[in-house]
Amino acid sequence: MKITTLSLELASGQTQLFGEETTLAGLKAQLKDILDSVALVDANDVLTMPTLIIQAKFRLVEITFTYELLDKEEGLLALYYNNGKDREQQKVFGYVRFEELEQHLQKLLRQSEREFIEYYFPKQTKLMQVIKYTVIAYLCVASFGFMSLGFFPNLIWREVFFQSAYVAAAITYVMSLPILIISRLLKEKKEQVALVRQSTTKQVIAILVVNVFLSCGVIVGGSNLFHVITAEEVKIDIVFSDKSRDYWSKHCKGGVNVEHFYGAVCLEDKAYWQVIHPGIRAVAQGESSAIAFNVESLELK
C-alpha cells in the first residue's frame, strides 16, 4: 500500500500537508522533516502539540493513523479502518515513542490491505470466542465468590471440607491458568500490547499471581452457592475453641472460633463475648449444609 496523505494539524487549527509517500526511505525523511518542523505552542501557560495524521486511501478503503504528540519523542497513537461497508474499526495503542509510530507506518507501506487488516484487526475464530467467554464467566464467578463473603458474615466452614477446598482451588488454578495465558496472548497479538511496552513475561507473571486469588474466589463462590441451595435450618451443639484477643478486631467484632469448623463467628454483644473461653459449650441455630454452617443465634449451655 502507499500513504496518500501526510498532514500535521497545528494547535492554531491550521493543517500542514506533506503529500503522499510510497518508499521506506522517503517515509523516514518525511517523518524527520515533520518532527523538525514541530514547535511547542504556549496557550495560556499550557503547552500544546500538533497531531500527525497519516492516511492510506484506495477505492472505498480508508486507513488512518493519528498521532497526538506529547513531545518530540512520544505521543498518543490510534488506528482507524473503514472499508466503506462495515462499521469503522479502531484501535488505541496508548502512548508510544516516535520510533514505534515509524514501525507501524513501515508496515503500512510493506503489506497489502488484507495482510494489514488481519494483523491489526484479526477475526475471532470460534475457539477464540469460546476462550473469551470462558474467561469472562471465570472472572464473574470469582467476583461473585468474593462478593458473597459479605452476605455470610457468620458462615463457618466444616474442617473436612475446608481441607479439600485447598485441593479444589489448586485444581481450578491449574485448569484455568492455560486458558488465561492463551487468552492474554491472543489479545496481545490482536492489540500488539508489546508496542505499549508491556512485556509478555510481566503479563504472564501477573496472571500467575492474580489467578491464585481468582481460583480461590471461584471455590468460595461455588461453595456459597452450594450451601445456599442445600442448607437446612437446624440446631447443633458446638464447643468454642478460641476467640480473638481483642473484641475490636479488624474484620470481625467479637470473633469466636468453634471446634471442627474453620472461620469466626462475630458476636455483637461484648458482654457475651467476654464470658466465652475455650471449652464452653453452646447451642447454635442456623442453616447447615454438608460444607458449612451459617450461625444465626447462640445460646450458652
Side-chain angles (χ1 to χ4, degrees):
M1 291 187 291
K2 72 174 182 178
I3 295 173
T4 54
T5 306
L6 267 165
S7 62
L8 196 64
E9 287 193 354
L10 306 177
S12 62
Q14 297 178 326
T15 300
Q16 188 175 352
L17 297 176
F18 292 87
E20 67 177 36
E21 191 53 65
T22 58
T23 66
L24 296 178
L27 172 66
K28 192 174 186 68
Q30 283 266 43
L31 291 176
K32 185 179 183 303
D33 291 341
I34 292 172
L35 198 59
D36 290 341
S37 69
V38 169
L40 295 171
V41 177
D42 190 350
N44 299 324
D45 296 326
V46 178
L47 292 177
T48 59
M49 296 289 285
T51 299
L52 179 60
I53 300 175
I54 305 96
Q55 289 184 314
K57 295 182 180 179
F58 48 95
R59 300 188 301 274
L60 298 176
V61 175
E62 183 175 315
I63 297 171
T64 305
F65 279 103
T66 62
Y67 189 69
E68 300 177 23
L69 285 93
L70 181 65
D71 51 40
K72 288 195 174 186
E73 296 182 352
E74 192 175 44
L76 178 62
L77 179 62
L79 169 63
Y80 303 88
Y81 170 69
N82 192 332
N83 61 7
K85 300 175 183 178
D86 305 320
R87 65 181 180 85
E88 183 180 71
Q89 298 183 68
Q90 69 177 50
K91 182 187 300 296
V92 178
F93 296 89
Y95 287 99
V96 303
R97 296 186 65 81
F98 197 80
E99 293 82 358
E100 295 172 1
L101 166 66
E102 186 176 344
Q103 293 173 10
H104 288 292
L105 299 182
Q106 289 174 354
K107 198 179 298 296
L108 179 62
L109 288 178
R110 287 195 188 105
Q111 295 182 332
S112 65
E113 178 198 355
R114 182 181 60 81
E115 292 172 331
F116 185 86
I117 298 308
E118 285 182 356
Y119 184 82
Y120 287 99
F121 302 102
K123 293 181 179 179
Q124 282 196 342
T125 63
K126 288 185 178 180
L127 176 60
M128 291 172 63
Q129 289 179 335
V130 169
I131 292 175
K132 174 184 175 181
Y133 291 117
T134 300
V135 170
I136 292 175
Y138 183 67
L139 295 175
C140 289
V141 173
S143 300
F144 166 76
F146 290 119
M147 290 173 59
S148 66
L149 294 175
F151 296 104
F152 303 100
N154 289 324
L155 185 69
I156 50 180
W157 304 94
R158 298 186 187 275
E159 282 186 348
V160 175
F161 164 75
F162 198 79
Q163 293 170 1
S164 61
Y166 282 111
V167 178
I171 293 173
T172 303
Y173 180 90
V174 172
M175 292 179 64
S176 60
L177 189 60
I179 298 176
L180 292 175
I181 292 176
I182 291 172
S183 173
R184 179 64 258 178
L185 293 178
L186 288 174
K187 190 173 182 181
E188 178 176 333
K189 182 179 179 182
K190 180 179 178 182
E191 299 181 356
Q192 295 302 303
V193 176
L195 296 176
V196 198
R197 287 174 258 156
Q198 297 180 15
S199 71
T200 301
T201 303
K202 290 181 180 179
Q203 293 178 59
V204 171
I205 292 174
I207 291 173
L208 291 172
V209 174
V210 171
N211 195 37
V212 173
F213 299 98
L214 293 178
S215 55
C216 291
V218 168
I219 297 303
V220 170
S223 301
N224 282 340
L225 183 60
F226 178 82
H227 172 78
V228 170
I229 294 174
T230 63
E232 296 179 351
E233 193 76 21
V234 296
K235 285 185 178 181
I236 61 173
D237 292 332
I238 61 172
V239 179
F240 295 107
S241 60
D242 197 6
K243 69 178 180 179
S244 57
R245 293 183 179 181
D246 184 24
Y247 175 77
W248 301 100
S249 60
K250 186 175 181 180
H251 301 293
C252 178
K253 187 165 61 176
V256 293
N257 300 318
V258 179
E259 287 185 1
H260 308 302
F261 287 92
Y262 179 86
V265 179
C266 305
L267 300 179
E268 297 291 332
D269 191 332
K270 187 175 181 179
Y272 203 74
W273 172 81
Q274 287 175 329
V275 301
I276 291 177
H277 57 78
I280 284 188
R281 296 179 176 275
V283 176
Q285 181 173 342
E287 296 178 334
S288 177
S289 68
I291 62 174
F293 181 68
N294 187 38
V295 181
E296 296 175 349
S297 63
L298 289 171
E299 182 180 347
L300 297 180
K301 284 190 173 182

